[in-house]
Amino acid sequence: MRKNGRLIRETGKLLASFLKVGTFVFGGGYAMIPAIRREAVERRGWMNEEEISDCIAISQALPGAFAVNSAVFIGKKAAGIPGALAAVFGVTFPAALSILVIVLFLGQIEDNVYVQGALEGIMAAAVALILVTVWQMARTLLDRKLAYAIAALSFLLIIVLGLSVIWAVLAGGLIGFLESLYLRRRKGRAQ
């Protein structure tokens, strides 16, 4: 009975947290990263910094919406399948409701300068949120020279050469795997 009570509480927390993220974060997947991270790591403790970084990388690399992928990942870890379903519903319901409202009133707000101005301001603030998250994650996760090199090289390849984020994530994973393999072999030879 205690286990069911805990599951219900965690599922409710997931629903509330992802409803909040889905309702108040504008700008799509990247803009949601700071809010999802804050809820999952700082407020609720469902994940630590390393786990949320894995979640972000995997959610970006998989097909589908980032917010939905990360909701499934976090929800499943925190409260199993019911948690994943609650988190997905929480993050998608506000968008679905917003789209419905916009479709109903699009003709009235489409050319409204005040609405356009508000949306531009929201998008600018979303960029700042993303930069803050990058700074926080970099301080925690980039603890070796190779990690800094992978991050810098990935950034340059994506920005300068237009490399797909998926390829950058896969290349970073491969480099990390090869480094681990090299270090393990070197350690084995030293013993």
Side-chain angles (χ1 to χ4, degrees):
M1 189 67 171
R2 278 185 155 166
K3 187 176 181 180
N4 287 340
R6 183 192 165 282
L7 178 65
I8 291 169
R9 280 191 306 278
E10 285 304 310
T11 302
K13 289 176 186 177
L14 284 158
L15 177 62
S17 291
F18 280 92
L19 266 172
K20 183 169 65 171
V21 169
T23 301
F24 296 111
V25 178
F26 294 86
Y30 292 115
M32 289 186 167
I33 292 173
I36 291 172
R37 183 192 155 279
R38 186 171 37 259
E39 286 295 314
V41 176
E42 294 174 13
R43 290 199 69 235
R44 303 292 186 180
W46 291 317
M47 295 185 156
N48 61 36
E49 288 291 344
E50 189 173 322
E51 290 170 326
I52 196 70
S53 294
D54 292 343
C55 172
I56 291 167
I58 291 167
S59 296
Q60 269 313 124
L62 291 173
F66 167 80
V68 174
N69 292 344
S70 60
V72 169
F73 198 101
I74 294 166
K76 174 77 167 71
K77 183 177 185 304
I81 299 295
L85 294 172
V88 168
F89 178 79
V91 81
T92 58
F93 179 73
L97 186 60
S98 298
I99 290 169
L100 179 62
V101 169
I102 288 170
V103 166
L104 292 174
F105 299 104
L106 183 61
Q108 297 171 5
I109 65 170
E110 185 174 29
D111 297 323
N112 186 309
V113 294
Y114 302 112
V115 171
Q116 295 303 319
L119 290 175
E120 287 178 20
I122 289 169
M123 295 302 173
V127 170
L129 289 173
I130 293 167
L131 291 174
V132 166
T133 301
V134 167
W135 174 254
Q136 290 171 337
M137 290 177 67
R139 287 188 334 192
T140 304
L141 300 173
L142 301 181
D143 57 350
R144 299 178 341 271
K145 289 180 184 176
L146 181 62
Y148 279 103
I150 292 170
L153 182 61
S154 296
F155 178 80
L156 290 173
L157 290 173
I158 291 167
I159 297 299
V160 176
L161 298 179
L163 183 71
S164 168
V165 173
I166 294 169
W167 291 114
V169 169
L170 291 175
L174 179 62
I175 292 168
F177 171 77
L178 292 173
E179 179 201 26
S180 296
L181 194 62
Y182 169 76
L183 292 175
R184 176 176 261 188
R185 285 186 179 173
R186 196 171 95 181
K187 184 179 176 183
R189 288 181 191 149
Q191 292 177 353

